[in-house]
């Protein structure tokens, strides 16, 4: 491995619980009586759709856009205070850095949030750069962000590993010809046989990678 492309939420960070529960937490904090039902109804919606729905069905006194902005602030504060690294991430990144591996982050999360949380958790300096789906103009259903990272790192695809916790991202990267390491996360669910088909390795803990590196 000469280069590594890391997803952030659910891969480096123990943060998927936040994304899956943020609307519930926010509405509960505001003492909205039917917050659990609202969360159930909006659970399959895009974030902007969910905030528009909640604004229309509550007495928050906010438009969908205003609620969306309030939730962005709420999420940013969680990144700045509560979100933690997954176990052994720091040790693994330090090991890759010592081995001269080029590293970057490829994420759906907005840049200012990414920089804030990575700096707080003291892993920001391990990465050569950050790429976001907003900046590259394509979601991870397409390989654009991975190809963008590969070009910036100026390495061969066969020497680059993509680390992801989400099934659809691993499918995208694998179909694009990348080496893929799937990262276990309790908020993600892989279909039976998925890891064998789409993951060159499936990692339950970064400690497994430390052991592999130490024995190689």
């Amino acid at each position: 491995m000469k280069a590594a492309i890391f997803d952030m939420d659910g891969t480096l960070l123990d943060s998927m619980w936040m994304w899956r529960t943020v609307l519930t937490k926010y509405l509960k904090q505001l003492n909205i009586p039917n917050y659990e039902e609202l969360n159930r109804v909006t659970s399959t919606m895009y974030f902007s759709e969910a905030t528009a729905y909640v604004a229309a069905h509550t007495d928050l006194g906010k438009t969908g856009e205003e609620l969306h902005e309030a939730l962005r602030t709420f999420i940013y504060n969680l990144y700045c205070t509560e979100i933690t690294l997954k176990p052994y991430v720091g040790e693994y990144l330090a090991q890759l850095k010592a081995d001269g591996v080029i590293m970057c982050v490829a994420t759906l999360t907005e840049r200012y949030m990414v920089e804030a949380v990575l700096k707080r958790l003291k892993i920001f300096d391990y990465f050569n750069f950050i790429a976001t789906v907003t900046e590259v103009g394509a979601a991870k259903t397409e390989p654009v962000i991975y190809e963008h990272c590969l070009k910036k790192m100026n390495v061969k695809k066969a020497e680059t590993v993509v680390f992801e916790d989400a099934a659809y991202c691993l499918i995208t990267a694998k179909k694009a010809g990348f080496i893929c390491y799937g990262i276990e996360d309790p908020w993600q669910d892989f279909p039976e046989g998925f890891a064998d088909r789409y993951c060159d390795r499936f990692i339950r803990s970064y400690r497994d990678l430390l052991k592999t590196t130490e024995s190689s």
Side-chain angles (χ1 to χ4, degrees):
M1 184 197 312
K2 289 189 176 180
I5 301 171
F6 286 93
D7 171 54
M8 187 178 77
D9 294 293
T11 298
L12 293 170
L13 308 184
D14 181 13
S15 54
M16 288 310 298
W17 62 267
M18 174 186 70
W19 286 106
R20 298 293 178 86
T21 64
V22 64
L23 187 57
T24 301
K25 288 170 69 74
Y26 181 74
L27 295 177
K28 184 178 180 181
Q29 179 178 286
L30 296 179
N31 296 314
I32 301 300
N34 60 333
Y35 70 88
E36 290 180 329
E37 175 62 16
L38 285 168
N39 189 68
R40 185 190 66 77
V41 172
T42 59
S43 61
T44 58
M45 296 180 184
Y46 289 112
F47 205 55
S48 58
E49 292 177 314
T51 52
Y53 181 91
V54 171
H57 290 81
T58 63
D59 296 322
L60 286 176
K62 296 181 185 293
T63 65
E65 292 79 7
E66 289 169 340
L67 178 57
H68 188 243
E69 187 60 34
L71 278 169
R72 286 176 66 196
T73 300
F74 187 71
I75 290 166
Y76 177 72
N77 288 335
L78 288 174
Y79 274 129
C80 291
T81 58
E82 293 189 32
I83 299 302
T84 60
L85 291 175
K86 286 198 159 186
Y88 298 99
V89 163
E91 293 90 334
Y92 184 57
L93 294 178
Q95 197 159 265
L96 291 182
K97 189 76 170 181
D99 290 341
V101 176
I102 303 169
M103 293 178 278
C104 71
V105 173
T107 178
L108 280 70
T109 304
E110 295 180 68
R111 175 174 290 274
Y112 76 97
M113 296 186 185
V114 177
E115 292 182 354
V117 68
L118 296 186
K119 287 177 181 178
R120 180 177 70 83
L121 296 173
K122 303 186 187 313
I123 62 170
F124 179 82
D125 290 338
Y126 286 120
F127 301 104
N128 291 67
F129 61 90
I130 295 163
T132 73
V133 296
T134 301
E135 293 167 350
V136 302
K140 287 186 176 180
T141 50
E142 302 175 53
V144 176
I145 194 166
Y146 305 118
E147 298 288 358
H148 168 82
C149 292
L150 185 69
K151 185 176 181 180
K152 285 195 70 170
M153 292 188 292
N154 193 29
V155 292
K156 295 179 181 178
K157 188 175 288 187
E159 299 171 328
T160 304
V161 176
V162 171
F163 293 77
E164 284 277 4
D165 67 303
Y168 82 96
C169 299
L170 288 162
I171 291 171
T172 298
K174 189 64 176 175
K175 286 184 175 180
F178 286 91
I179 299 168
C180 294
Y181 282 18
I183 308 300
E184 186 176 68
D185 188 87
W187 293 90
Q188 302 287 10
D189 185 25
F190 289 176
E192 185 176 351
F194 179 89
D196 291 335
R197 184 175 181 183
Y198 292 105
C199 301
D200 294 277
R201 288 197 65 176
F202 183 73
I203 309 304
R204 289 186 166 79
S205 169
Y206 283 94
R207 184 176 183 179
D208 298 337
L209 294 177
L210 288 175
K211 288 180 179 179
T212 300
T213 306
E214 287 167 359
S215 62
S216 64

